[in-house]
Amino acid sequence: MAASVAAAARRLRRAIRRSPAWQGPSHRPLSSEPTAAQASAVRAAFLNFFRDRHGHRLVPSASVRPRGDPSLLFVNAGMNQFKPIFLGTVNPRSEMAGFRRVANSQKCVRAGGHHNDLEDVGRDLSHHTFFEMLGNWAFGGEYFKEEACSMAWELLTQVYGIPEERLWVSYFDGDPKARLDPDLETRDIWLSLGVPASRVLSFGPQENFWEMGDTGPCGPCAEIHYDLAGGVGAPQLVELWNLVFMQHNREADGSLQPLPQRHVDTGMGLERLVAVLQGKHSTYDTDLFSPLLSAIHQGCRVPPYLGRVGVADEGRTDTAYRVVADHIRTLSICIADGVFPGMSGAPLILRRILRRAVRFSTEILKAPPGFLGSLVPVVVETLGDAYPELQRNSAQIANLVSEDEAAFLASLQRGRRIIDRTLRSLGPSDMFPAEVAWSLSLAGDLGLPLDLVELMLEEKGVQLDSAGLERLAQEEAQHRAQQAEPVQKQGLWLDVHALGELQRRGVPPTDDSPKYDYSLQPNGGYEFGACEAQVLQLYTEDGIAVASVGKGQRCGLLLDKTNFYAEQGGQASDRGYLVRAGQEDVLFPIARAQVCGGFILHEAVAPECLQIGDQVQLHVDKAWRLGCMEKHTAAHLLNWALRQTLGPGTEQQGSHLNPERLRFDVVTQTPLTPEQLRAVENTVQEAVRQDKAVYMEEVALALTVQVPGLRTLDEVYPDPVRVVSVGVPVAHALDPASQAALQTSVELCCGTHLLRTGAVGDLVIIGERQLSKGTTRLLAVTGEQAQQAQELGQSLAQEVKAATERLSQGSRDGVEAHRLSKDIGRLIEAVETSVMPQWQRRELLATLKMLQRRANTAIRKLEMGQAAKKTQELLERHSKEPLIVDTVSAESLSVLVKVVRQLCEQAPNTSVLLLSPQPLGKVLCACRVAQGATPTFTAEAWALAVCSHMGGKAWGSRVVAQGNGSTADLEAALNTARAYALNQL
């Protein structure tokens, strides 16, 4: 029997490890298939089963956008929303605190981050970026292994009708290194449910032990697998259901401690379950995808979907079907939940998903323009009943997908022409030039990411110059570091001699007025026009004037005019690219622009020759420019809000901004209080909500001199000067009789701004520090970053509230008290380092430090009481002995040290060494030598002798010492301690 089980285990292990990629479609009918059911009925049956038969509360799916959890890009598992319960940080007064047994169907996205299935989607028959996770949970020991296994078995075999002979199960086989025994309880449960021993198999921690992270709740798990082969030949297993039994806590030192409350966390992928119930070998063959695949076939000029993979999939048509079907589901779900394609974080991942779908639909499926948007109603039809937010937002989803598809198609076609043109100039063994790939990725509105460029080249069998790319990436990182703060005369620069030569030749200053040529479109987006210009002068990297520059050369360009904003007034420089007239497929990336004596010097990389007199067209990076505009308008609102809150004597000292962050220095009489910081934020947020118009106009400098409330800096302004006014036309704001500049933001400013305040989205001050007496530096973020900061702040506030409740309830034992103290310390670190509202940070830190003091006081009282009790027990066992060497149970080294101290206080002529065994074979040690001991008998040496024997270490002084080690033979350690002491005595 043992041999047959071992052989089966080997078969199962092989099957499990190949189960993520399902085998290709089989023409052999599956025997004893369960009754087919529509996906919606399968989902409903799961929820109804747990609600009606087993009293579970049904909770809605959380948004795929994580709330207050910066460790995640997307919600990727059903348990994410219940983390506060598992971690013990749930607010006792919250609705979630009352959860005991719950079930739901959770929307999950696995793309980017640790769990990333994006590049595998389409290549096989099983991977998805979006999927639904069916789950049931039991919190606080509501039920545990027996009930969880029984419910799962009942649902699969009795409700869904899956034949028992098609199901295999596994349990945790233990981990000798972690001193974890096999989970024989789960094994016996499976056997009692009638599963034959040959299909009840055990695996180690890699397969059957689940952990939330490096620390935190964890435990053994049991898995249920379905055999696609149906007993014919070797098993072809796919995992259906994972049942996790959280009963341990992974501590910071790596040890495992029992959880005070045990939990059950289960997860089963709906797509895979539906495939099993519908007798399909692929999730793409189920009714979750078949309507989409049919719509793709009807809308494109390709043969119908046949489910082929690998070399059998000629032209990769079926791969494209799967990519488009999967990605439009993900896009629809994410956009409905408020995650939109963007430039960083989760929005950037979503942007890549969209662009991957566009490529496969247009290049392989030959889809017409706007095709992806036309699939959104099909997604709504299949998933809308389960997730009503799809129905509410269907029009917005379709419009956004169509707009982004159109923008990327233009970029893709242009990028393809550039790649093809470059390939024609290469030899058979030449690598694709890094400079060209880099220029494609840097061009903001061209926007082909490097991984997409590399993939396009890979499809053509061409290798990219990776070493050159790495060099360019390092240079870009250095450039970004320079742009993080205002930098003077970095890189290319025109010195006094170069400027004198330009003036001698009569070269006019650069006309940069086109930088203000942009408009707000009806859809809320901004349109930035291109700028036609002529090359007046070129410079090498070390500032030497030249008539032309060659391929791959970093250079400086002077043009007769530009639409690039050069760094000044605290606003970071624009970036983007230029093309030569008549040769639009060769892009010259522009990393930055700077002002040199009235001239705008553009720093660029030349992929080909460029010379004086060339006609060029300039394009700014739209996303970068828009990010700067948002931050600059936000800076004006922040300046005004500070004056409103702190008084008219508040003065701006300086600022610097780029799309990532806003830095603002302000002169104040006293440091800002949390209440003032919050009031400033609220004032800005109200102006943003009102979506006020932003007016900009050039006026004679003399008209601005006597305007009350007009904000200026200690700078020399040009004449005429540009005035930026929020909510009030400039002419009205400059009327001395209007007092308008006292009621809103009116400033002299040459920067680029939004045309309405609403696009700022939100503003949160995330940091402050004193630069000098009376000067405070504020750091702020806007838009999506601000919302994430607020959500994280709310999440941490809930954790602090939960810790306060736990402390007020009191701790019955030292383990719980120490755990609470550690949790408070972890919270302090999280609050100190997280990107969150600064006012809230200061309030929470004040609360946490008070809680820490109270927790430490409670621990000391508990430990003193425990130590006193153990001291009396030891004194009774060792009455009037000059030497006490013994073991004692102690929850921590602190308690053990207190026991030793109290013993010696009551028996000052006694030398004491105590050992305390801990989990996983660890041993704590504490000792103290008597007052009259010989000079050669020191506590440190005594502890070192004992702890060295146990393979550990010790520290202390002549009188007291402590240490630790590990041993399975405690008596031998005690004998070592006695022998050493007796030899010294």
Side-chain angles (χ1 to χ4, degrees):
M1 182 63 177
S4 64
V5 170
R10 288 193 294 272
R11 293 199 305 273
L12 180 59
R13 185 175 286 109
R14 288 194 297 269
I16 286 177
R17 284 173 180 165
R18 64 172 182 262
S19 65
W22 288 23
Q23 306 304 303
S26 171
H27 299 290
R28 176 181 52 77
L30 299 177
S31 61
S32 61
E33 289 293 352
T35 304
Q38 290 186 335
S40 58
V42 174
R43 186 193 299 111
F46 180 92
L47 299 174
N48 294 340
F49 171 81
F50 281 102
R51 180 189 61 195
D52 300 339
R53 291 200 190 184
H54 297 287
H56 286 62
R57 176 177 182 168
L58 300 187
V59 298
S61 168
S63 164
V64 295
R65 178 172 176 244
R67 304 291 181 182
D69 190 347
S71 66
L72 295 174
L73 287 169
F74 298 99
V75 166
N76 58 22
M79 54 73 61
N80 288 159
Q81 67 171 309
F82 304 117
K83 270 187 177 182
I85 299 179
F86 300 138
L87 294 171
T89 60
V90 64
N91 184 347
R93 292 194 177 93
S94 68
E95 181 184 31
M96 187 179 289
F99 289 176
R100 291 297 174 265
R101 50 176 73 194
V102 302
N104 83 342
S105 178
Q106 173 63 49
K107 300 173 291 186
C108 299
V109 173
R110 289 188 177 173
H114 179 64
H115 296 287
N116 184 9
D117 291 343
L118 178 56
E119 293 306 320
D120 292 319
V121 170
R123 295 179 179 177
D124 58 30
L125 300 175
S126 63
H127 276 97
H128 303 290
T129 51
F130 163 72
F131 64 97
E132 298 177 69
M133 182 73 82
L134 303 172
N136 62 290
W137 290 266
F139 303 118
E142 176 71 11
Y143 59 78
F144 207 49
K145 297 177 182 178
E146 183 173 2
E147 296 90 339
C149 293
S150 299
M151 291 176 192
W153 194 255
E154 178 188 2
L155 176 64
L156 293 178
T157 59
Q158 296 181 27
V159 176
Y160 289 137
I162 298 177
E164 294 186 8
E165 63 269 17
R166 301 292 288 270
L167 298 175
W168 293 57
V169 297
S170 64
Y171 67 93
F172 180 51
D173 195 26
D175 184 4
K177 292 181 180 178
R179 297 179 183 270
L180 289 173
D181 295 327
D183 185 10
L184 301 182
E185 179 186 0
T186 299
R187 179 201 64 182
D188 294 342
I189 291 169
W190 289 130
L191 294 174
S192 70
L193 290 171
V195 185
S198 59
R199 297 206 305 274
V200 181
L201 305 168
S202 59
F203 296 98
Q206 184 175 354
E207 293 89 358
N208 279 74
F209 194 86
W210 184 90
E211 304 206 38
M212 182 182 292
D214 294 334
T215 60
C218 56
C221 60
E223 293 178 342
I224 304 176
H225 296 262
Y226 180 78
D227 182 8
L228 292 171
V232 179
Q236 297 179 34
L237 300 181
V238 291
E239 179 189 331
L240 276 187
W241 209 338
N242 190 12
L243 316 177
V244 179
F245 310 120
M246 295 190 193
Q247 60 190 79
H248 306 289
N249 193 74
R250 178 75 69 183
E251 304 293 333
D253 62 1
S255 65
L256 291 171
Q257 300 291 343
L259 276 176
Q261 290 189 319
R262 302 184 302 184
H263 312 289
V264 171
D265 165 22
T266 85
M268 175 165 57
L270 173 68
E271 291 78 6
R272 186 166 289 181
L273 174 63
V274 171
V276 165
L277 296 178
Q278 294 181 0
K280 308 295 184 182
H281 277 275
S282 166
T283 52
Y284 289 96
D285 292 331
T286 68
D287 66 333
L288 285 168
F289 287 90
S290 55
L292 276 169
L293 298 175
S294 176
I296 293 170
H297 173 55
Q298 293 171 14
C300 301
R301 300 185 296 275
V302 289
Y305 178 71
L306 297 176
R308 299 165 300 182
V309 295
V311 294
D313 183 18
E314 295 181 11
R316 299 196 304 155
T317 301
D318 289 346
T319 297
Y321 265 105
R322 291 187 288 269
V323 167
V324 173
D326 172 87
H327 288 6
I328 193 61
R329 280 167 36 106
T330 304
L331 288 162
S332 299
I333 287 290
C334 289
I335 294 171
D337 278 350
V339 183
F340 305 108
M343 298 302 292
S344 63
L348 176 60
I349 300 298
L350 200 62
R351 184 171 182 247
R352 288 176 176 168
I353 291 173
L354 174 62
R355 295 188 162 197
R356 192 168 186 259
V358 172
R359 276 201 69 226
F360 276 92
S361 66
T362 57
E363 295 184 357
I364 298 176
L365 299 177
K366 310 302 180 187
F371 173 68
L372 281 183
S374 72
L375 295 177
V376 172
V378 185
V379 178
V380 175
E381 181 67 26
T382 56
L383 297 176
D385 289 340
Y387 308 111
E389 58 273 17
L390 284 169
Q391 297 171 338
R392 292 193 301 268
N393 299 291
S394 60
Q396 179 194 22
I397 297 167
N399 291 338
L400 198 152
V401 169
S402 296
E403 288 173 8
D404 277 39
E405 177 186 4
F408 180 58
L409 272 176
S411 301
L412 186 63
Q413 291 165 0
R414 188 174 194 177
R416 194 183 298 118
R417 290 198 304 271
I418 293 171
I419 289 174
D420 291 342
R421 182 177 181 278
T422 305
L423 290 177
R424 287 195 295 271
S425 65
L426 297 180
S429 59
D430 289 347
M431 290 191 294
F432 194 85
E435 289 78 12
V436 177
W438 192 253
S439 69
L440 286 169
S441 70
L442 280 186
D445 44 341
L446 189 60
L448 297 182
L450 283 172
D451 54 357
L452 178 55
V453 175
E454 194 165 7
L455 180 62
M456 294 169 72
L457 292 173
E458 180 184 322
E459 293 168 356
K460 295 177 179 292
V462 178
Q463 186 178 357
L464 182 59
D465 179 7
S466 56
L469 269 183
E470 186 175 347
R471 172 181 55 80
L472 291 170
Q474 290 174 351
E475 293 176 0
E476 171 71 4
Q478 293 171 359
H479 170 63
R480 279 183 172 270
Q482 291 173 1
Q483 283 210 330
E485 294 289 341
V487 178
Q488 297 297 325
K489 299 187 180 181
Q490 289 286 338
L492 282 166
W493 183 257
L494 299 184
D495 59 20
V496 63
H497 304 293
L499 292 172
E501 176 61 20
L502 290 171
Q503 292 163 1
R504 186 189 64 78
R505 289 167 45 197
V507 178
T510 310
D511 174 12
D512 63 348
S513 59
K515 68 188 178 187
Y516 300 124
D517 292 344
Y518 54 89
S519 58
L520 183 59
Q521 302 301 299
N523 63 2
Y526 278 80
E527 183 68 31
F528 298 91
C531 176
E532 309 288 341
Q534 182 180 20
V535 179
L536 301 183
Q537 184 63 61
L538 293 162
Y539 295 90
T540 63
E541 198 165 2
D542 51 5
I544 299 174
V546 291
S548 64
V549 291
K551 182 177 180 179
Q553 190 171 351
R554 189 175 293 274
C555 61
L557 298 89
L558 282 188
L559 310 170
D560 60 342
K561 56 183 176 179
T562 183
N563 58 350
F564 274 63
Y565 184 87
E567 178 158 350
Q568 56 188 315
Q571 178 176 330
S573 159
D574 276 338
R575 64 184 194 182
Y577 67 96
L578 65 81
V579 295
R580 286 184 299 192
Q583 202 172 18
E584 285 74 15
D585 290 346
V586 180
L587 277 68
F588 293 73
I590 299 176
R592 67 172 178 169
Q594 52 187 318
V595 182
C596 304
F599 298 95
I600 307 297
L601 183 67
H602 303 75
E603 189 173 322
V605 175
E608 290 192 5
C609 179
L610 189 67
Q611 57 190 11
I612 292 175
D614 281 348
Q615 298 293 323
V616 297
Q617 187 180 70
L618 295 104
H619 300 263
V620 298
D621 182 329
K622 295 179 181 178
W624 180 272
R625 163 68 80 84
L626 187 57
C628 289
M629 289 162 56
E630 290 173 1
K631 293 297 187 298
H632 208 149
T633 301
H636 283 214
L637 294 175
L638 178 60
N639 191 8
W640 172 67
L642 284 164
R643 289 193 172 201
Q644 291 291 105
T645 304
L646 304 179
T650 306
E651 294 292 341
Q652 178 182 349
Q653 188 75 10
S655 66
H656 186 262
L657 59 96
N658 60 31
E660 305 299 326
R661 194 160 293 188
L662 162 62
R663 191 211 72 199
F664 194 93
D665 299 341
V666 60
V667 177
T668 59
Q669 301 301 317
T670 58
L672 278 73
T673 66
E675 293 76 17
Q676 289 172 329
L677 286 168
R678 190 173 191 179
V680 169
E681 277 186 15
N682 289 339
T683 301
V684 174
Q685 290 162 2
E686 179 59 28
V688 171
R689 278 191 293 271
Q690 292 176 6
D691 193 25
K692 295 181 177 182
V694 180
Y695 299 93
M696 289 163 278
E697 188 177 328
E698 283 193 347
V699 301
L701 187 60
L703 295 177
T704 69
V705 176
Q706 301 300 324
V707 178
L710 180 68
R711 259 72 76 194
T712 64
L713 291 175
D714 186 17
E715 294 180 359
V716 176
Y717 289 97
D719 192 2
V721 66
R722 191 170 177 82
V723 179
V724 178
S725 175
V726 175
V728 178
V730 172
H732 181 58
L734 295 184
D735 183 352
S738 74
Q739 303 289 302
L742 294 172
Q743 307 301 322
T744 188
S745 170
V746 184
E747 298 193 27
L748 305 184
C749 179
C750 65
T752 57
H753 285 268
L754 297 170
L755 300 179
R756 301 198 72 87
T757 60
V760 172
D762 210 337
L763 179 136
V764 169
I765 298 169
I766 60 169
E768 62 165 338
R769 67 184 177 93
Q770 297 298 308
L771 293 182
S772 59
K773 184 174 177 58
T775 303
T776 300
R777 171 163 291 179
L778 302 177
L779 294 178
V781 292
T782 61
E784 177 77 14
Q785 290 175 303
Q787 292 175 17
Q788 291 173 352
Q790 290 168 338
E791 290 168 2
L792 181 54
Q794 292 167 4
S795 176
L796 288 170
Q798 289 297 319
E799 293 194 41
V800 172
K801 191 172 183 180
T804 305
E805 293 282 346
R806 289 169 62 191
L807 187 60
S808 65
Q809 292 168 2
S811 301
R812 299 173 185 171
D813 58 71
V815 171
E816 174 57 27
H818 274 285
R819 181 175 287 121
L820 177 56
S821 179
K822 286 181 180 178
D823 287 345
I824 292 172
R826 176 186 61 80
L827 272 174
I828 289 174
E829 182 181 1
V831 171
E832 286 178 337
T833 58
S834 294
V835 176
M836 62 181 292
Q838 180 66 11
W839 66 264
Q840 193 172 35
R841 187 196 319 277
R842 286 171 55 180
E843 287 186 354
L844 293 183
L845 284 176
T847 300
L848 285 167
K849 287 174 181 177
M850 178 270 293
L851 293 179
Q852 188 76 285
R853 290 193 296 271
R854 286 176 54 193
N856 290 341
T857 300
I859 288 171
R860 282 194 298 271
K861 288 181 178 179
L862 275 171
E863 291 183 348
M864 291 298 288
Q866 293 171 355
K869 183 179 179 181
K870 296 180 188 301
T871 297
Q872 291 306 312
E873 294 172 355
L874 287 165
L875 285 173
E876 290 172 6
R877 287 209 303 268
H878 302 277
S879 178
K880 298 180 180 179
E881 295 181 15
L883 177 66
I884 297 178
V885 175
D886 208 338
T887 62
V888 64
S889 63
E891 294 169 344
S892 66
L893 187 57
S894 176
V895 173
L896 191 64
V897 169
K898 286 181 174 65
V899 175
V900 169
R901 183 187 301 125
Q902 291 186 20
L903 273 173
C904 292
E905 287 173 353
Q906 297 189 42
N909 295 321
T910 301
S911 296
V912 179
L913 184 143
L914 299 179
L915 300 179
S916 178
Q918 303 292 306
L920 304 179
K922 292 184 178 180
V923 179
L924 304 178
C925 171
C927 66
R928 185 173 184 132
V929 298
Q931 294 177 356
T934 62
T936 59
F937 186 23
T938 69
E940 185 177 20
W942 193 12
L944 185 60
V946 177
C947 292
S948 298
H949 172 81
M950 297 187 295
K953 56 184 179 180
W955 58 94
S957 64
R958 194 189 71 79
V959 179
V960 295
Q962 53 196 284
N964 55 46
S966 298
T967 183
D969 189 353
L970 207 56
E971 192 59 40
L974 291 171
N975 289 335
T976 299
R978 292 190 190 97
Y980 184 91
L982 291 172
N983 184 51
Q984 296 296 322
L985 290 171

